Amino acid sequence: MADTPQAPADEAARLEALARYQILEAPEQDFDDLARMAAHVCGTPIALVSLLDAERERFKSRVGWDVTEAPRAISFCSHAIQGRELFVVKDAAADPRFAQNPLVLGPPGIRFYAGAQLLTPEGHAIGTLSVIDRAPRELSAHQNEVLVALARQLIHVMELRRRLHELRESNSERTGVQRALKETEERYRDLFEGASDLIQAVSPDGRFLYTNRAWRDTLGYSAADVGALRFFDVIHPQHRGEAADVMQWVLEGGDVDTAQLVLVSKDGRRIVAEGSLSCKRVDGQPVATRAILRDVTERRRTEERLRVSEARTRSILDNMLGGLITLDGAGTLESINPAGERIFGYRPEELVGQHLGVLLPDLPGQDKAAFLKNEFPKALGRVTEWQGRRKNGEAFPFELSMFEFDTEAGRHFAGNVRDVSERHEVERLKKEFVSTVSHELRTPLTSIRGSLSLLASGILGELPSEAQEAVSIADRNALRLIGLINDILDLERFESGRIEMNMGDVELQDVLQRSVEAVKGVAGQQGIALEIRNPGARAWADADRLVQVVVNLLGNAIKFSKAGQSVTLEAEQKPPFVEVRVIDRGRGIPPALREAVFERFKQVETSDSRDKGGTGLGLAICKVIVERHGGEIGVLSEEGRGSTFFFRVPEAAARGGQARAS
Ligand code: ADP
């Protein structure tokens, strides 16, 4: 429509401002009162409060005309908001802008119009307070003034309403935030209540602001009890000082990640709790200390027990006289007790991490790793003797017995170590003494025997028969003594290596024959038959020493056989050894003594050497001789049915003729 004015320059801001007031949808008593006052003062039948939006004019208050809105295009208001003066149309029918306006031509039949702008504090006109008459007229200056003042009041009221509304909105927003906060807090509270940790909040003056269920259950207090409690009531009396220090630190702004508090329950139990503490502040002032703790009493107790048991074990290990080492599967020393360190002459901790090999001497041409790999398993479960090396290089003998054990980290070995160098020395001295004494005895004994022979021969005069008997007993005993002394000296010479071995390719048949020759007489006297079985074995040995061994074994076999039984002597090639066996059908040897009989002076029956003759050294000598050959000796036996003594020495082929000087 040609008469519609352009939108004002501030249209966008104006609409925005309008929107802020338009939220006040409900009819307003205040507006109606002001409209009524305007109509009354101006003496018009109609008064309107209009708000003008982009499309239409809305009537917020109406006096004398009951419509709620009209299109913006035909509204008088859209003209009125163009200026800032009171907008007056004295006679619309005579005004070309309005003459054809439906509101002029039709109801309400406007002829007179005066509109005062509703100006926001920012100066935007969002609508009008207008008075309308159905006849042309004018307003007095006073009426003009009042209309403008009423319009100002109106916007004033709107403004107040708007502020109030905003205030209410922000208030309800705040309560919303508060509700959300409360929910979160409740959620946290649920979490805290259900937690297995002990949670507490304590005011700076020591009152409990909050404790969770785990806290109360652990300390044995009910929720009602807690109200009367003070922080230090739950701290163990002996630990209040530490607790006070921690609290002080936290209140002063320090955070504690792991603190230990020793608490005391209602029934007096000591509870060790560990956890973190922090302080809640408002405007820089502490309002509560918060702690999340865990009951570690049981853990601490276990740790303590472990510590005590460890200390006990350690003190046992430290004070043991014997050495104790532990090794990992690769032979690295994991631990060694002080006695062990002393044995090898090392300072504490010097050996840990080193290989077992450092404890052994370096022998020329020996691959130590290979040696250990081979020899080490032999020490498992039994006592073995090793050559050791002290830190200062000194070689010494030690005994080692090992056992295996498994841990999560794998296989380990533990070993008892005993320095036997002193024992060896004592044994050496003992042997030396025995050999010296024996030596000294041999000459006089030989001369005694000579004298006895003279007496027995009658050269020195015929002896009465009783004297003859006494002389022959003395001679037999002197002979036995000489035999014993010879055996002792022999053994000593073999053990000390002072006897030269005369090694060579030996025809066994020869050895067996010579041996049988030597015992034939005795065997005959006792009614024992001897038989030889030999397919023609050959050994790398000292023939005379082998004869000595075989004669000894045959002698025993004959001694412990009965008349009419036979003794078999056989040799067999068992590469890389030759095995010689002396088999009797006599009384046999009990299992427990089958190793012991090779020791000195060990007998099956204590009366054996007295009854059967012998020195008790025969088998011990056989053993050293066989071992000097690099062989071994043993016995198989069935009690009551006989024994088979056997020994093995290297076969001639295995030694290939190489001279083996020992
Ligand atoms: P001895 O010189 O006293 O015979 P040995 O060392 O040769 O000493 O033998 C030790 C002990 O072993 C003997 O006293 C005897 O008790 C037992 N012994 C040895 N050989 C036999 C055997 N063939 N049968 C039964 N017991 C034997």
Side-chain angles (χ1 to χ4, degrees):
M1 201 175 286
D3 297 349
T4 310
Q6 294 279 312
D10 65 345
E11 179 69 6
R14 194 190 69 80
L15 287 174
E16 214 175 276
L18 175 68
R20 282 207 295 275
Y21 297 100
Q22 248 179 353
I23 25 181
L24 317 165
E25 285 295 351
E28 299 282 341
Q29 181 66 41
D30 291 349
F31 297 178
D32 291 350
D33 286 351
L34 288 166
R36 210 167 286 120
M37 265 167 76
H40 179 75
V41 169
C42 297
T44 56
I46 298 166
L48 300 168
V49 176
S50 324
L51 297 177
L52 189 73
D53 67 22
E55 300 293 321
R56 49 194 72 232
E57 177 182 12
R58 292 175 198 276
F59 304 117
K60 294 295 291 180
S61 262
R62 306 166 295 274
V63 175
W65 186 36
D66 199 17
V67 284
T68 55
E69 56 176 54
R72 178 169 175 164
I74 58 165
S75 78
F76 278 64
C77 180
S78 61
H79 292 268
I81 62 157
Q82 299 287 330
R84 292 294 177 263
E85 302 283 298
L86 185 69
F87 179 71
V88 181
V89 181
K90 286 177 192 159
D91 183 356
D95 189 319
R97 293 174 294 178
F98 303 106
Q100 299 305 313
N101 191 302
L103 300 173
V104 176
L105 295 173
I110 300 171
R111 292 296 293 274
F112 170 76
Y113 175 93
Q117 297 86 10
L118 300 174
L119 291 171
T120 68
E122 296 81 35
H124 304 299
I126 59 168
T128 49
L129 168 63
S130 58
V131 287
I132 291 167
D133 207 337
R134 294 191 178 92
R137 58 171 289 178
E138 278 184 58
L139 291 181
S140 69
H142 172 68
Q143 286 170 322
N144 280 352
E145 239 171 70
V146 172
L147 191 60
V148 170
L150 286 175
R152 254 198 320 269
Q153 279 308 308
L154 216 139
I155 196 89
H156 201 61
V157 170
M158 286 176 78
E159 180 67 18
L160 278 176
R161 286 290 152 97
R162 186 181 66 79
R163 290 235 185 113
L164 197 67
H165 179 78
E166 274 178 9
L167 212 64
R168 279 211 198 101
E169 281 289 289
S170 83
N171 262 348
S172 77
E173 219 169 83
R174 192 174 305 149
T175 47
V177 169
Q178 273 166 354
R179 190 177 321 117
L181 264 175
K182 202 160 161 248
E183 277 169 15
T184 324
E185 204 167 289
E186 273 163 14
R187 266 206 302 278
Y188 274 117
R189 232 158 234 260
D190 280 353
L191 267 179
F192 288 169
E193 277 302 291
S196 60
D197 284 341
L198 281 53
I199 301 173
Q200 64 174 44
V202 175
S203 70
D205 62 356
R207 278 174 303 112
F208 282 98
L209 303 172
Y210 174 74
T211 58
N212 73 340
R213 191 180 307 134
W215 190 100
R216 295 188 299 272
D217 289 351
T218 306
L219 288 163
Y221 288 106
S222 68
D225 289 337
V226 175
L229 272 182
R230 293 278 152 160
F231 175 65
F232 284 104
D233 294 340
V234 301
I235 299 294
H236 193 279
Q238 282 164 13
H239 296 271
R240 286 189 182 143
E242 305 151 27
D245 289 347
V246 173
M247 275 302 175
Q248 190 60 30
W249 169 261
V250 172
L251 285 169
E252 280 170 7
D255 272 357
V256 180
D257 286 340
T258 41
Q260 183 179 292
L261 293 178
V262 183
L263 310 174
V264 61
S265 69
K266 190 177 180 184
D267 59 6
R269 275 175 304 112
R270 186 174 179 278
I271 293 159
V272 185
E274 197 180 87
S276 62
L277 287 101
S278 61
C279 183
K280 182 184 158 83
R281 280 161 202 286
V282 171
D283 300 329
Q285 289 305 306
V287 293
T289 59
R290 292 180 292 204
I292 301 179
L293 305 166
R294 182 156 295 181
D295 180 358
V296 293
T297 318
E298 202 39 53
R299 202 176 78 200
R300 282 292 136 82
R301 220 171 269 155
T302 312
E303 281 169 2
E304 178 61 15
R305 276 200 287 267
L306 209 68
R307 207 184 55 72
V308 169
S309 116
E310 249 175 25
R312 191 187 311 128
T313 312
R314 176 120 310 272
S315 106
I316 291 172
L317 292 180
D318 285 357
N319 295 300
M320 256 170 72
L321 292 176
L324 190 85
I325 57 173
T326 60
L327 307 166
D328 67 10
T332 304
L333 282 155
E334 292 182 318
S335 74
I336 179 163
N337 70 342
E341 284 163 344
R342 276 196 299 277
I343 289 173
F344 291 97
Y346 284 86
R347 284 204 309 277
E349 300 301 319
E350 269 184 337
L351 281 169
V352 172
Q354 304 233 46
H355 193 265
L356 176 65
V358 299
L359 302 180
L360 307 183
D362 298 305
L363 297 178
Q366 186 200 56
D367 177 351
K368 215 189 262 184
F371 170 76
L372 271 171
K373 200 165 172 226
N374 201 31
E375 296 300 310
F376 189 71
K378 294 184 184 168
L380 283 173
R382 69 178 90 90
V383 179
T384 49
E385 199 171 300
W386 297 63
Q387 273 300 308
R389 183 185 59 178
R390 300 193 217 273
K391 193 184 174 188
N392 64 12
E394 184 193 336
F396 73 105
F398 72 92
E399 275 179 0
L400 177 69
S401 59
M402 308 286 300
F403 60 89
E404 283 175 90
F405 63 100
D406 291 323
T407 67
E408 274 166 20
R411 171 135 306 184
H412 305 260
F413 299 93
N416 293 307
V417 178
R418 219 171 110 197
D419 184 345
V420 290
S421 51
E422 228 169 82
R423 196 181 72 198
H424 274 216
E425 183 59 11
V426 170
E427 274 168 15
R428 195 188 61 77
L429 289 173
K430 218 159 68 187
K431 282 179 194 159
E432 212 174 82
F433 171 75
V434 170
S435 104
T436 313
V437 171
S438 306
H439 249 297
E440 295 305 316
L441 284 176
R442 199 148 63 162
T443 321
L445 260 176
T446 315
S447 110
I448 288 169
R449 254 208 97 199
S451 306
L452 288 171
S453 302
L454 272 178
L455 278 176
S457 68
I459 294 173
L460 304 175
E462 207 54 39
L463 292 176
S465 69
E466 274 129 40
Q468 249 171 22
E469 180 63 14
V471 165
S472 106
I473 290 174
D475 186 49
R476 265 207 313 279
N477 279 306
L479 192 65
R480 246 186 96 189
L481 258 179
I482 291 170
L484 175 63
I485 285 167
N486 284 339
D487 276 357
I488 290 174
L489 291 174
D490 254 11
L491 192 58
E492 199 273 328
R493 288 208 312 272
F494 276 118
E495 280 182 340
S496 61
R498 275 193 284 117
I499 282 189
E500 277 279 321
M501 298 289 277
N502 193 6
M503 303 299 279
D505 191 340
V506 172
E507 196 72 62
L508 253 295
Q509 184 61 25
D510 215 34
V511 171
L512 303 192
Q513 208 70 59
R514 277 167 63 192
S515 308
V516 167
E517 221 42 67
V519 299
K520 206 162 66 185
V522 192
Q525 274 166 31
Q526 309 230 345
I528 311 285
L530 295 173
E531 48 183 27
I532 299 181
R533 274 188 231 141
N534 174 31
R538 280 164 53 207
W540 183 255
D542 178 329
D544 290 343
R545 297 299 162 204
L546 285 196
V547 170
Q548 192 179 347
V549 173
V550 178
V551 166
N552 210 307
L553 296 180
L554 279 176
N556 283 346
I558 292 164
K559 271 198 293 193
F560 295 101
S561 294
K562 289 199 187 86
Q565 289 179 331
S566 65
V567 168
T568 310
L569 175 61
E570 51 185 34
E572 188 188 344
Q573 204 90 28
K574 274 193 174 177
F577 293 104
V578 173
E579 187 174 281
V580 176
R581 292 184 288 266
V582 177
I583 306 161
D584 69 56
R585 282 88 190 166
R587 67 174 196 199
I589 295 172
L593 288 167
R594 279 174 204 162
E595 278 197 38
V597 289
F598 294 97
E599 290 169 22
R600 296 154 201 227
F601 306 115
K602 267 275 155 50
Q603 302 169 341
V604 173
E605 303 284 341
T606 40
S607 57
D608 277 356
S609 69
R610 194 180 57 237
D611 295 352
K612 311 269 182 185
T615 60
L617 288 172
L619 289 176
I621 293 173
C622 291
K623 191 165 181 296
V624 263
I625 294 175
V626 171
E627 282 173 357
R628 285 286 305 271
H629 279 85
E632 54 187 348
I633 191 165
V635 63
L636 305 169
S637 182
E638 211 180 315
E639 267 185 286
R641 307 200 62 171
S643 311
T644 297
F645 277 84
F646 65 88
F647 69 87
R648 297 180 195 119
V649 288
E651 59 176 352
R655 292 291 158 186
Q658 65 181 327
R660 190 163 165 266
S662 307

